[in-house]
Amino acid sequence: LLLFSRFATTLFTFFVYKMSRARRTSGGGTIASSILALNSIATKENAYKEAILRNHMHSKVMAECFFSKDSDALEACLKAVSEDQQEDLCQAFQEQRNRLMKVSETNVDNFRQVNAFIGALNQSIRPHIEQQHEGAEPQDYEKLILEKMQEYRQAQKDSELDMADEQFVREIKTALGEATASANNDDDDDDDLQVVVRASGETLKCPIMGSYYEDPVKSSVCGHTYSRMGIENHLRSSRKCPVAGCSNNNITLDQLQPDIEMQMKVRRQRRKSDQEKAQRMTQDLIDSDEE
């Protein structure tokens, strides 16, 4: 959270550095060198957004691990402490829930900042640079980008969803076992929480390989996940999604995106299985010694 609270500042600093460096390395600066630096920054849009997405996925998995309807984390922790510590523990859990919600809102804001940053570069900064004449005085790029980002965000204000309706926020609330009324709900009491029934039977095994996902990828069309090797082998003989009942009949490699959330879930499950196996082996040794 501390890292991403400085996300926008990092973008500004990187932008100013690249633009200033372009001027220094070109002997005072040319329009061409500035445009090259601008293009270099703009091409990193996906990297910026992927960093935010990874942060969101980590928060989501943590929420499911400790706070989902099926999680017994709180109950297990309560059993491990004395009665006079249980109230403090419950309060600590509630603070963590609130912190996860705050992280989700920060991720939304960072995503909006990236959109504003790239939008300002392409719609305002680029035309501004192209209209400059060679040998013009160096610009205060930090001030300029901040002004243009503010203008861009103001122009996009009406099209932005309410924070409670943003996907990142709704996914974290679902992971926490909560949900708020939709923005289209006429009920005025938007703050009322309701328990969400989580889908049961989620599998961590590839529908093709039948084993835990390895390098999981998700189809951007139908949303199904596969092990990368499994789906690549499958596509050599068929374009149809291998999940029964799926209507996606034309899967392509371009549709496949890394499924970061599934990757973390499998890693967590493997770690849990290894711990349980170690505990069983320890208990077997204890039982053997007692005999």
Side-chain angles (χ1 to χ4, degrees), residues 146-158:
L146 284 170
E147 289 176 354
K148 297 305 180 183
M149 283 181 67
Q150 187 174 4
E151 291 175 8
Y152 183 92
R153 289 204 65 171
Q154 193 61 40
Q156 300 295 315
K157 202 75 174 175
D158 292 340

Side-chain angles (χ1 to χ4, degrees), residues 101-291:
M101 284 305 308
K102 181 64 177 176
V103 170
S104 71
E105 293 173 2
T106 302
N107 286 332
V108 169
D109 191 59
N110 284 334
F111 213 87
R112 291 174 178 175
Q113 290 276 37
V114 171
N115 286 335
F117 180 72
I118 298 298
L121 289 185
N122 291 330
Q123 296 180 20
S124 300
I125 306 299
R126 188 187 302 278
H128 177 84
I129 293 175
E130 290 173 344
Q131 291 168 10
Q132 284 185 310
H133 60 82
E134 295 292 351
E137 287 294 316
Q139 294 288 310
D140 182 351
Y141 285 117
E142 183 171 8
K143 180 180 179 181
L144 186 61
I145 189 65
L146 284 170
E147 289 176 354
K148 297 305 180 183
M149 283 181 67
Q150 187 174 4
E151 291 175 8
Y152 183 92
R153 289 204 65 171
Q154 193 61 40
Q156 300 295 315
K157 202 75 174 175
D158 292 340
S159 63
E160 287 183 354
L161 295 173
D162 290 338
M163 184 61 77
D165 292 315
E166 286 283 0
Q167 182 178 349
F168 283 172
V169 175
R170 295 187 70 82
E171 285 185 1
I172 291 296
K173 284 192 173 183
T174 300
L176 291 171
E178 302 173 355
T180 55
S182 169
N184 297 323
N185 194 327
D186 293 330
D187 189 352
D188 291 332
D189 193 4
D190 289 337
D191 293 330
D192 286 347
L193 297 177
Q194 63 186 43
V195 174
V196 176
V197 179
R198 294 174 52 77
S200 61
E202 180 185 35
T203 179
L204 301 181
K205 294 186 176 182
C206 173
I208 304 169
M209 310 283 283
S211 55
Y212 281 134
Y213 287 107
E214 296 285 350
D215 191 10
V217 291
K218 178 185 287 189
S219 166
S220 60
V221 175
C222 62
H224 289 128
T225 300
Y226 331 91
S227 291
R228 184 180 294 277
M229 182 183 294
I231 190 63
E232 288 179 351
N233 288 334
H234 175 81
L235 290 177
R236 292 191 178 99
S237 58
S238 173
R239 292 288 180 184
K240 181 174 174 57
C241 175
V243 176
C246 182
S247 59
N248 185 3
N249 295 317
N250 189 30
I251 297 181
T252 64
L253 291 176
D254 291 339
Q255 294 176 14
L256 304 177
Q257 303 294 330
D259 191 338
I260 301 170
E261 181 180 2
M262 184 59 71
Q263 188 179 79
M264 288 188 289
K265 286 182 176 180
V266 170
R267 189 184 304 131
R268 188 184 71 190
Q269 180 60 37
R270 286 184 181 277
R271 193 162 52 239
K272 181 180 178 182
S273 297
D274 290 343
Q275 290 172 349
E276 290 175 348
K277 182 178 179 180
Q279 289 174 354
R280 286 196 301 270
M281 291 176 65
T282 301
Q283 187 60 48
D284 289 344
L285 286 173
I286 293 173
D287 294 342
S288 177
D289 289 344
E290 289 179 350
E291 290 177 0

